[in-house]
Amino acid sequence: MRIISISNNKGGVGKTTSAVNIAAALQIKGKKVCVIDLDHQAQATYHLGYNPKQIKKSIFDVLKGEISYEDILIDRNDMHLLPANQELKDIEFLPIPAKEFLLRDALESVNHYDFVIIDCPPSLGILTLNAMAYSKEILVPLQVQFLPFHGMYNLFEAVQMVKRRLNKHIDVTGIIGTMYNAKRAINREVIEETENRLPGKLFETLIRENVALQEAPSWGKTIFEYKAGSPGAEDYMNLTEEILQRE
């Protein structure tokens, strides 16, 4: 079972879009997949067609130890979802020791998926630490602009800390270039700089700017359900094939 966190401490870089559509592509390729929404904004939950305000029990209740993950599991056309709602933001205030391991402990018995994909919040707080303590791999969506590129190093430093103190098995296994436009010089320069500084980390497939990728969440659909013939669907399927090859 490959446990992959999709993480970046900057918002708006295509993190949830990547988490949902990689999971969908894996399912299309016959893999058994579970998506965990670990962001109190619950964007992955919304993207997959569920209103977080109507989610009465969420991953927050599982982390508190009040219920089992099976009690909140949503079967969405054979893709499973552990949903979130805004209550998840209260995790910081729980008077529980070793809060970094709540997710790992709650899902200790889970071993029947091919992939677990975790959509992390855009911060390096306790929820992201929970994801990293449980995961084996991290994929980093990188909007190919100057500031997101330099901000990415904060995440790499956090991963090294987690590797020393919480989970020696974790590593950044790939960087996903998002919102790419080949006509923009800055996009090309950031791709070149990433390849030079972090050789072997950047996936060959770049996620091109695509309106359909922006529209799909409002319909509660993955890109393959919304516009299967779009460049966004093509890019995420090609990216997923690369992820499978890195196994």
Side-chain angles (χ1 to χ4, degrees), residues 6-243:
I6 313 293
S7 181
N8 193 314
N9 60 319
K10 186 181 186 306
V13 297
K15 180 178 54 61
T16 298
T17 298
S18 294
V20 166
N21 290 310
I22 289 168
L26 287 167
Q27 183 196 23
I28 290 169
K29 293 187 118 356
K31 304 299 182 183
K32 193 168 184 182
V33 184
C34 181
V35 176
I36 301 176
D37 191 345
L38 212 61
D39 185 353
H40 76 270
Q41 297 175 82
Q43 292 185 352
T45 301
Y46 187 83
H47 197 323
L48 287 170
Y50 301 94
N51 186 342
K53 293 181 180 179
Q54 296 176 356
I55 299 291
K56 302 303 180 186
K57 296 292 183 180
S58 74
I59 190 67
F60 180 57
D61 301 285
V62 176
L63 294 176
K64 288 191 293 183
E66 295 179 353
I67 57 176
S68 164
Y69 78 93
E70 295 170 318
D71 296 324
I72 67 163
L73 195 68
I74 295 173
D75 187 341
R76 186 190 183 276
N77 302 324
D78 291 330
M79 181 199 296
H80 288 177
L81 169 67
L82 298 182
N85 59 25
Q86 64 178 4
E87 290 182 348
L88 194 52
K89 68 181 184 299
D90 295 333
I91 192 76
E92 304 282 352
F93 307 110
L94 287 183
I96 299 175
K99 282 196 288 189
E100 299 87 350
F101 300 110
L102 294 177
L103 183 67
R104 185 194 69 180
D105 294 345
L107 303 184
E108 190 174 14
S109 64
V110 175
N111 59 13
H112 48 282
Y113 295 104
D114 298 308
F115 285 83
V116 173
I117 305 293
I118 306 172
D119 187 29
C120 298
S123 68
L124 295 174
I126 194 66
L127 289 169
T128 298
L129 287 178
N130 265 269
M132 289 184 182
Y134 178 54
S135 301
K136 300 288 196 307
E137 307 174 47
I138 298 175
L139 299 182
V140 183
L142 171 65
Q143 182 185 3
V144 285
Q145 300 286 344
F146 179 75
L147 290 177
F149 172 78
H150 285 276
M152 182 176 63
Y153 280 92
N154 293 330
L155 176 63
F156 275 74
E157 290 172 0
V159 171
Q160 291 308 308
M161 181 275 290
V162 169
K163 198 165 186 173
R164 289 192 304 269
R165 300 182 183 178
L166 303 177
N167 180 2
K168 66 181 180 180
H169 302 293
I170 196 168
D171 203 359
V172 175
T173 54
I175 298 170
I176 305 165
T178 64
M179 306 178 199
Y180 179 72
N181 186 333
K183 294 179 181 178
R184 293 192 183 128
I186 184 63
N187 287 184
R188 299 193 303 271
E189 290 167 6
V190 168
I191 290 299
E192 183 179 354
E193 188 73 7
T194 303
E195 290 174 332
N196 289 338
R197 292 198 186 191
L198 300 162
K201 291 292 187 186
L202 183 69
F203 286 105
E204 183 177 333
T205 301
L206 301 173
I207 308 302
R208 291 167 287 179
E209 284 186 329
N210 180 225
V211 172
L213 284 173
Q214 301 170 24
E215 294 172 341
S218 66
W219 293 91
K221 294 182 177 182
T222 71
I223 190 61
F224 304 102
E225 295 164 336
Y226 182 66
K227 282 193 179 174
S230 65
E234 179 186 356
D235 291 345
Y236 272 109
M237 185 57 74
N238 290 339
L239 171 65
T240 300
E241 288 172 356
E242 282 195 70
I243 292 170

